[in-house]
Amino acid sequence: MTRFDKAWREGLAIAICSVVFGFSYTFVQEKGLFAKPASRRATLGTVSAAPSVIEIQEALSLFQSGEAVFVDSRHGFDYKLGHIRGALNLPLEEFDTKADVIASLPRNKILITYCDGADCNSSIELATKLMESGFTSVKVFFAGWNEWQGQRLPMAVTQ
């Protein structure tokens, strides 16, 4: 056997092992050719539906009935200047560090996230994160603080 034949066989063995390893890895990880259809994938940590967006009439009705808890996704500074009366402050960028606030949220009520209004998307992102954390009844009041304040609805200021 010549050196060339030996090198060729070793190269072929390495290539075959690489292909077998690659297919094995994608099979175990359920990727590539072995990916499961979306309907069969595990859904832990994913949201099956987007949170619904509500208008001011529904937000006010839920506020007055006490069926909902409002969650302000704005910065703490803005929250202190004024917020929906009774709302909890959970700034979107602090979501991962506010486990105590998240744990205090009731699971038997509707959670309504809001921010400043149409120019702000943090309420939608916060609602999605809450749903990914296992909250099932989450809505977004997209008109937010600007609309609530403009209608002169119940407000609070934190000192």
Side-chain angles (χ1 to χ4, degrees):
M1 179 186 302
T2 66
R3 289 179 92 181
F4 177 76
D5 288 336
K6 185 177 179 184
W8 189 83
R9 286 185 181 163
E10 287 176 359
L12 183 61
I14 289 171
I16 290 170
C17 288
S18 298
V19 169
V20 169
F21 177 75
F23 276 108
S24 299
Y25 175 79
T26 56
F27 176 76
V28 169
Q29 295 294 318
E30 297 177 347
K31 295 182 178 181
L33 295 173
F34 303 104
K36 289 182 180 179
S39 62
R40 293 181 54 206
R41 288 187 192 134
T43 58
L44 183 62
T46 60
V47 177
S48 60
S52 61
V53 176
I54 61 172
E55 300 294 327
I56 191 146
Q57 299 84 3
E58 185 176 355
L60 180 59
S61 175
L62 289 166
F63 174 85
Q64 290 171 335
S65 70
E67 295 177 48
V69 172
F70 285 77
V71 183
D72 191 325
S73 65
R74 300 176 301 153
H75 297 282
F77 178 78
D78 294 325
Y79 173 82
K80 288 179 181 177
L81 291 176
H83 55 272
I84 295 173
R85 189 184 312 142
L88 299 173
N89 186 223
L90 180 57
L92 176 63
E93 67 277 356
E94 297 176 21
F95 184 85
D96 294 329
T97 61
K98 295 283 188 173
D100 56 330
V101 175
I102 296 166
S104 73
L105 295 172
R107 295 198 177 259
N108 62 340
K109 290 192 174 194
I110 298 168
L111 299 180
I112 300 174
T113 62
Y114 73 94
C115 56
D116 283 328
D119 294 335
C120 174
N121 289 325
S122 66
S123 58
I124 295 171
E125 293 177 49
L126 179 62
T128 301
K129 285 187 175 234
L130 288 168
M131 291 177 77
E132 288 172 348
S133 297
F135 291 90
T136 56
S137 188
V138 182
K139 297 180 183 275
V140 177
F141 174 41
F142 194 63
W145 172 243
N146 291 337
E147 180 71 16
W148 192 270
Q149 187 179 24
Q151 297 282 330
R152 301 196 187 290
L153 297 173
M155 299 176 263
V157 175
T158 306
Q159 300 297 337

